[in-house]
Each structure stands twice: as C-alpha cells, then as structure tokens.
Amino acid sequence: MDRYGYSIFCDDIRNEPGGKLSFIGCYNGVIFIAGQFPLVLPKLCVHTHIFSPASRPFKSIAVRCYLPGGDRPFAEEPIETPKSSEQAELVANLRTDTGAPLYIVAATSLIFTPLEVRCPGLMRIRGFIDAEQGVRLGSLRIEHAP
C-alpha cells in the first residue's frame, strides 16, 4: 500500500483527559454558509492523519491548506517527525503475525481563527511528504445556504 490520509473538518477540537480528542460540530463534506461572500468564519478546525507503510518512514511532512479560488496555500504547517531510526524502533516490537499491514501515522490539528473565505468552492488539504509526494487529505465544499 502507498501513503494515504484523511481529514476531519469541524467547529472545534478539544483535548480531553487521557489524551483523547473531541471533535465538535463535524461537517460531512459540505458547509452551508448564510450571508454573502466574502465572509469570515469565526473558527474552523481540521484534524489530519497521514499513514505511511512502516517500510517507508517519513523524513518530513508539511500540510498545506487551500481555500476556494486559490492555487496557493493560505496555510502550511510542518509536522515534526521522529528520525527514521526512531520510527523503525516504534514498529519493531509490533506483532507481524496478524496479517495486518504495519503503518506509521502522523497527525496534526489545524485551527483557523478567524477564517476569511472569499468565494464558494472547495477547501482542500494536501500533505507533502519528504518535500515531494503530494497526498490528498480531504476537502470541504463551502457553499451559500440554499
């Protein structure tokens, strides 16, 4: 398998006791906005996971966010990755007799407060791994409320 990932788009992300995350007000592919574009959302959060086979540890990861109508990222967030040897050590003690593939997972939460949206369309999240491989991590359609 190759590298892949996904994103959760929501109104808020809360850190809970015991290392849990709570996602508040999750969007299911589209957000309908009352009002006219351009507009400002008070807050929008994106939580992203990126998976890589254990045989291909991460050297570097950057998550880029694109707003509707833009070809340049409006935000870029590097994800700190452990050294390749440390990543290998993390998976070395896992059971390999289960038949399940072994993956290394990187995650980050992005919080945009406020977020100016100039036009309707897709908000896209992309991961750039080792400064070259672009991985689609999800999108949210931003539309005017019917």
Side-chain angles (χ1 to χ4, degrees):
M1 276 219 109
D2 205 14
R3 292 170 167 157
Y4 68 97
Y6 68 90
S7 295
I8 297 170
F9 297 85
C10 56
D11 291 330
D12 199 10
I13 300 172
R14 298 185 187 156
N15 290 305
E16 305 289 349
K20 295 185 297 182
L21 293 176
S22 289
F23 303 106
I24 311 302
C26 295
Y27 294 100
N28 193 15
V30 65
I31 178 174
F32 292 105
I33 306 293
Q36 300 299 316
F37 290 94
L39 54 84
V40 175
L41 298 174
K43 187 176 195 179
L44 185 68
C45 302
V46 181
H47 185 78
T48 298
H49 281 90
I50 303 172
F51 296 80
S52 183
S55 60
R56 295 179 62 201
F58 299 116
K59 293 181 187 126
S60 67
I61 305 171
V63 175
R64 295 180 187 161
C65 304
Y66 300 83
L67 285 176
D71 359 341
R72 290 190 169 155
F74 79 94
E76 182 170 335
E77 181 71 25
I79 299 177
E80 187 175 328
T81 58
K83 295 177 185 173
S84 295
S85 60
E86 293 170 347
Q87 292 179 59
E89 188 177 314
L90 288 172
V91 296
N93 296 324
L94 294 177
R95 289 182 49 197
T96 57
D97 60 351
T98 64
L102 299 179
Y103 280 91
I104 299 168
V105 182
T108 191
S109 294
L110 307 171
I111 299 173
F112 305 110
T113 306
L115 178 64
E116 182 180 354
V117 181
R118 297 175 193 237
C119 62
L122 282 180
M123 177 181 183
R124 299 170 289 130
I125 310 298
R126 302 292 182 259
F128 288 85
I129 300 169
D130 303 339
E132 57 187 47
Q133 182 184 9
V135 176
R136 293 179 178 193
L137 300 175
S139 61
L140 178 69
R141 180 161 297 284
I142 302 173
E143 294 293 335
H144 190 282

